[in-house]
Amino acid sequence: MTTARWNRKDLLGLRELSADEINLVLETADAFKQVGTREIKKVPALRGKTLVNFFIEPSTRTRTSFELAAFRLSADVINITASASSLSKGETLKDTAKILEANHVDIIVLRHSSAGAPQFLAERLRSSIINAGDGAHEHPTQGLLDTYTIREKKKRIEGLNVVIIGDILFSRVARSNIFALTKLGARVTVVGPSTLVPRDFEKLGVAVSYDIDKVLPTADVVNLLRIQHERQRKEYFPGVGEYIRLFGLTKERAKLLKPDCLIMHPGPINRGVEIDSEVADGNQSVILNQVTNGLAVRMAVLYLCGGIAT
Amino acid sequence: MMKTIIIRNGRIIDPANGRDEIGDLVIANGRIAEQSAIRDSKSAIAEIDAKGLIVAPGLIDMHVHLREPGFAHKETIASGARAAAAGGFTTVVCMPNTSPVADNPSTITWIKDRARDTASVNVLPTGAISKNLDGEELAPIASIVQSGVVAITDDGKCVQNHELMRRAVEYARMVGVPVLDHCQDYNLVGNGVVNEGEWSTLLGLSGWPAAGEEAMVMRSILLAELCDHHIHCQHISAAGSVRLIREARGRGVKISGEVCPHHVTLTDAAIQNFDTNCKMNPPLRTQRDIDAIIEGIADGTLTILCSDHAPHAGFEKEVEFDQAPFGIVGLETELGLFIDILVHQRKAISINRLIEMFTIEPAKLLKLDAGTLSIGAKADITLIDPGREWTVDVSKFESLSRNTPFHGWKLEGRAVRTIVRGETVWAL
């Protein structure tokens, strides 16, 4: 057990967390995971607290997961999307958030297309700010649930070879995974087209490779990222066909993997692009475990931060 | 009314006349006068004690945004002029990206009239290269020049069409004004908001690569050669740009470059908390770039210092990093920052050279009747205390805007009095 204490009102990213703090979240999530298996899936930890899911960028899975997590902690929840908020009438993010605070909202879960938006709010509001993904910066709860899933299946993080494949440059999931896993002692390799995996990533303490067939045989975990068509200008790579040929986790390539290598994906999946359908549904895949664990991890985060907020 | 002033016992540094000596400077009728004017004066003589101070020609900042017409909530010509005076500047050159854009004689005439009526320092407008700064067709450059601009530029934007730029430079040569180029290749830069490198990677912010500036600096060099006319590269931020300009100047190409204080005092590490007061265009880069720029200043590759004073209201900067406008205010901090970093800390240049870079260098480039203490010249004078320690405090700014990353910085060196045509327009 870690002896770390939690004293953050916000969860903005994993870069700023210590290994002890990360472990504390994971251990707290262990306790909450049990709750999900009970007949009564609800605990009173955040009873009387109000949580706003403030999603300025579209999301189904993350928003649903946070909403369920809040329900299970007995918090009151409202959802706000960009089109339904005053942002669409030209109100600034600061003003919209100040309105929420004036309504005594305790926790704001923010998804935003601009890097740094959660920190911007955290510096200005007393409410807890939970980053549910900010641009290409961080998606800390995804990084935590991926780490949780690896730890649950492999019983450790230290010394594992974790390979993250795909669009690293534009991926907040990649960054949060890199920060958490390297702090806990994993060896992380990022793989993808050179345009989407710049060498600058080496400065984050990871290896950069453009040869997927070389890194797969020693991998303990393979985490595949979606190729995000909507973010990319077409000069980043010549087309989906060539991407699959170079970097797709096809059935044939999956044979290079160790039998106990975990296959992960934060979703949503483009079947037949970054991963073959059979591989995504195969027995090495822990994609649905990630979803289940996401709920427990988000309960832990809301519980820890919600207890600090004033 | 005849008025005579004597500035006593200052260290008079007048690069235009190769002068650096302790002495008295006499002003009569708003102009620099012979010592004999004191004897001949029929009215009272005002005295200014300049012991321990440098008496320099009024400083010139050839790159500021005064926001009027169109954005008077950020700055007005009057408030920008007060900020200039408080920074030690007697002449500022304002950029044409106002609303309406200064791409026509009537807007330029409006700016000049407004400056005459409201500004405490000399305000010299520039005109646009292209209509509405769109980079698609030439603005009426000859008419603009006749209405009284000192240069043409699309600053804030960059003409991407090399052919259009070539014709603009040829045309500018005919009408006798230099071309100022904000060097930014739109394809390479895309929607970049910070230097492309370690910090953009770490923070997931879109990168603005140094090559996006260097490619256009190279374009300017090629066109300056092709057209045999002067192109001045604005706000140099990258080591590669310094190297290109050095090589070209060595061959006699009519190319020059300017430096802003933030590009020699801050690196892109300053953006790590998403502080929008560290968002500028071109962006803050690396220590390697800073070192190369300072080397370029020391060896004469980069000849001009300026602020790129870019006021924005607090509410405009207090938004998500991606959405914040680029730029910071600079008029009231630049002299202190440059003296502190270039003269005191890095010892890259002498105070004399620094004064040259703020006086005869821009005066020569823009053919200004300014920047000298010659007998008969307009008495635009800046008194500088190069050893004075002070702390930047935005609450004391004359500018309407407060967007600066330098609040709280302790600096050594500043202006203490600014005199325009013999009148003290600001004193500490």
Side-chain angles (χ1 to χ4, degrees):
Chain A
M1 287 289 284
T2 171
T3 54
R5 288 193 50 204
W6 189 264
N7 53 15
R8 295 174 184 273
K9 81 174 175 74
D10 312 299
L11 179 66
L12 306 177
L14 301 185
R15 187 164 71 90
E16 69 213 39
L17 296 196
S18 66
D20 276 351
E21 286 174 302
I22 293 169
N23 281 323
L24 177 63
V25 178
L26 302 182
E27 284 164 20
T28 309
D30 282 335
F32 283 119
K33 190 167 182 189
Q34 306 253 307
V35 175
T37 62
R38 294 184 202 159
E39 195 169 301
I40 307 288
K41 296 183 174 58
K42 207 158 173 161
V43 293
L46 294 182
R47 194 169 60 192
K49 300 258 186 189
T50 309
L51 179 145
V52 171
N53 258 330
F54 190 18
F55 277 61
I56 293 168
E57 216 185 36
S59 159
T60 317
R61 98 184 36 220
T62 304
R63 188 179 57 71
T64 307
S65 181
F66 269 109
E67 195 170 352
L68 276 172
F71 283 149
R72 291 193 178 173
L73 294 168
S74 307
D76 298 313
V77 181
I78 55 170
N79 290 298
I80 301 176
T81 56
S83 56
S85 79
S86 300
L87 292 173
S88 62
K89 298 174 190 163
E91 190 172 69
T92 64
L93 177 65
K94 181 192 167 193
D95 285 334
T96 304
K98 283 281 185 191
I99 302 298
L100 295 177
E101 183 173 70
N103 282 310
H104 302 298
V105 166
D106 300 291
I107 303 171
I108 296 172
V109 178
L110 179 69
R111 159 70 59 94
H112 198 293
S113 58
S114 291
Q119 179 167 341
F120 174 84
L121 287 192
E123 287 166 358
R124 286 164 179 79
L125 302 183
R126 292 185 306 277
S127 314
S128 273
I129 307 297
I130 310 297
N131 182 1
D134 60 332
H137 179 221
E138 286 228 43
H139 192 348
T141 57
Q142 182 72 45
L144 289 166
L145 75 90
D146 288 344
T147 305
Y148 184 94
T149 304
I150 296 169
R151 168 180 166 275
E152 181 182 63
K153 297 290 177 189
K154 294 288 189 186
K155 310 296 175 203
R156 66 186 169 106
I157 301 292
E158 193 164 6
L160 293 180
N161 288 321
V162 180
V163 178
I164 308 174
I165 303 169
D167 168 8
I168 309 296
L169 180 60
F170 292 96
S171 175
R172 53 193 173 216
V173 175
R175 284 177 181 77
S176 287
N177 266 275
I178 288 168
F179 297 136
L181 293 169
T182 55
K183 278 175 207 281
L184 299 184
R187 285 189 293 271
V188 178
T189 304
V190 292
V191 181
S194 49
T195 46
L196 294 173
V197 189
R199 287 272 176 207
D200 277 328
F201 273 90
E202 287 172 351
K203 292 175 186 146
L204 274 57
V206 303
V208 169
S209 171
Y210 305 119
D211 186 351
I212 189 172
D213 295 331
K214 205 165 152 189
V215 299
L216 288 183
T218 54
D220 298 302
V221 177
V222 171
N223 198 346
L224 295 143
L225 303 179
R226 191 167 70 95
I227 289 297
Q228 303 187 52
H229 302 287
E230 76 272 14
R231 278 179 202 277
Q232 279 146 28
R233 299 184 290 174
K234 47 181 182 285
E235 59 263 36
Y236 280 94
F237 58 91
V240 166
E242 189 157 302
Y243 182 85
I244 295 169
R245 186 146 7 99
L246 291 177
F247 300 107
L249 189 60
T250 58
K251 266 186 300 184
E252 294 70 36
R253 264 204 188 105
K255 290 174 190 155
L256 295 171
L257 294 171
K258 295 194 276 191
D260 63 346
C261 176
L262 304 179
I263 295 172
M264 306 175 73
H265 196 303
I269 300 173
N270 292 318
R271 285 179 187 267
V273 181
E274 65 267 4
I275 185 167
D276 268 1
S277 208
E278 293 88 334
V279 181
D281 300 331
N283 58 10
Q284 286 173 272
S285 166
V286 294
I287 293 171
L288 293 176
N289 302 72
Q290 288 173 268
V291 176
T292 306
N293 291 337
L295 190 53
V297 162
R298 289 182 176 114
M299 286 174 78
V301 167
L302 295 178
Y303 169 76
L304 290 168
C305 292
I308 295 292
T310 51
Chain B
M1 195 184 93
M2 294 284 279
K3 192 172 175 189
T4 308
I5 302 164
I6 182 161
I7 302 173
R8 287 205 186 277
N9 295 319
R11 177 180 168 195
I12 299 167
I13 298 181
D14 180 18
N17 293 297
R19 189 174 176 203
D20 180 358
E21 61 191 356
I22 305 289
D24 300 341
L25 189 72
V26 177
I27 303 167
N29 261 345
R31 291 188 177 269
I32 308 293
E34 302 275 8
Q35 299 286 331
S36 60
I38 294 292
R39 289 193 306 273
D40 303 342
S41 177
K42 292 182 176 58
S43 56
I45 297 165
E47 288 203 21
I48 295 169
D49 180 14
K51 193 164 191 301
L53 302 178
I54 290 169
V55 180
L59 306 184
I60 301 162
D61 184 337
M62 64 167 281
H63 191 152
V64 305
H65 298 267
L66 298 185
R67 303 304 191 202
E68 211 182 7
F71 307 103
H73 67 286
K74 298 173 193 267
E75 195 81 287
T76 62
I77 289 172
S79 66
R82 286 198 305 274
F89 294 89
T90 58
T91 298
V92 293
V93 175
C94 60
M95 296 297 116
N97 60 341
T98 47
S99 179
V101 169
D103 62 358
N104 64 85
S106 56
T107 302
I108 288 155
T109 302
W110 189 91
I111 292 169
K112 290 177 68 178
D113 289 349
R114 191 82 174 155
R116 185 197 60 218
D117 295 343
T118 68
S120 55
V121 304
N122 307 301
V123 173
L124 307 177
T126 55
I129 295 170
S130 69
K131 280 185 188 163
N132 200 39
L133 309 176
D134 285 338
E136 285 169 7
E137 52 181 321
L138 292 180
I141 292 169
S143 308
I144 289 172
V145 170
Q146 281 166 6
S147 69
V149 301
V150 296
I152 56 167
T153 176
D154 270 6
D155 180 50
K157 301 274 187 69
C158 178
V159 174
Q160 300 295 294
N161 180 330
H162 302 327
E163 163 66 6
L164 185 78
M165 190 65 172
R166 176 211 169 149
R167 299 307 171 195
V169 176
E170 283 178 345
Y171 207 83
R173 181 180 183 223
M174 173 181 78
V175 295
V177 291
V179 179
L180 318 181
D181 195 14
H182 165 117
C183 298
Q184 176 179 354
D185 183 302
Y186 288 0
N187 285 311
L188 279 169
V189 173
N191 56 1
V193 289
V194 297
N195 180 47
E196 182 177 308
E198 183 178 355
W199 283 102
S200 68
T201 304
L202 202 63
L203 299 174
L205 290 167
S206 296
W208 193 138
E213 172 177 293
E214 292 153 1
M216 281 301 181
V217 168
M218 192 68 233
R219 187 269 303 261
S220 283
I221 290 167
L222 295 173
L223 293 185
E225 278 186 279
L226 179 63
C227 307
D228 188 28
H229 186 55
H230 199 104
I231 304 180
H232 172 74
C233 300
Q234 299 179 292
H235 42 52
I236 293 299
S237 70
S241 303
V242 182
R243 182 167 41 76
L244 291 166
I245 293 171
R246 179 181 293 123
E247 187 276 336
R249 284 172 71 89
R251 290 187 291 112
V253 179
K254 292 174 181 167
I255 193 87
S256 55
E258 67 183 26
V259 179
C260 304
H262 40 278
H263 290 130
V264 287
T265 50
L266 290 169
T267 68
D268 57 352
I271 61 172
Q272 60 188 287
N273 287 314
F274 300 98
D275 180 358
T276 57
N277 283 334
C278 293
K279 179 176 176 181
M280 38 281 257
N281 189 11
L284 301 175
R285 299 203 188 274
T286 67
Q287 190 60 46
R288 195 183 130 258
D289 296 295
I290 289 180
D291 293 343
I293 291 169
I294 291 179
E295 197 187 334
I297 291 170
D299 73 9
T301 298
L302 301 171
T303 48
I304 285 169
L305 304 173
C306 64
S307 63
D308 193 7
H309 180 76
H312 292 293
F315 71 88
E316 294 169 314
K317 276 286 196 180
E318 202 176 356
V319 295
E320 300 89 317
F321 196 90
D322 282 342
Q323 286 161 33
F326 291 97
I328 61 170
V329 289
L331 277 166
E332 293 170 80
T333 47
E334 67 171 306
L335 184 60
L337 286 162
F338 277 133
I339 293 175
D340 192 274
I341 188 90
L342 297 178
V343 179
H344 296 315
Q345 286 190 45
R346 301 287 294 257
K347 299 180 170 45
I349 52 172
S350 63
I351 190 77
N352 303 60
R353 176 59 188 159
L354 181 137
I355 291 168
E356 285 177 18
M357 294 176 78
F358 273 126
T359 55
I360 54 174
E361 291 286 2
K364 192 167 63 184
L365 173 65
L366 303 173
K367 303 189 195 80
L368 305 181
D369 174 24
T372 169
L373 297 175
S374 302
I375 302 297
K378 283 180 293 183
D380 292 352
I381 299 162
T382 304
L383 301 192
I384 298 168
D385 184 346
R388 187 175 185 114
E389 293 180 8
W390 62 292
T391 303
V392 177
D393 179 355
V394 294
S395 71
K396 299 205 168 99
F397 278 5
E398 295 288 342
S399 171
L400 291 184
S401 291
R402 302 278 181 269
N403 51 308
T404 176
F406 298 116
H407 177 66
W409 280 42
K410 290 185 174 25
L411 301 175
E412 186 181 345
R414 67 172 300 161
V416 295
R417 183 188 288 263
T418 307
I419 298 168
V420 176
R421 297 239 180 177
E423 298 288 336
T424 293
V425 293
W426 175 85
L428 189 65

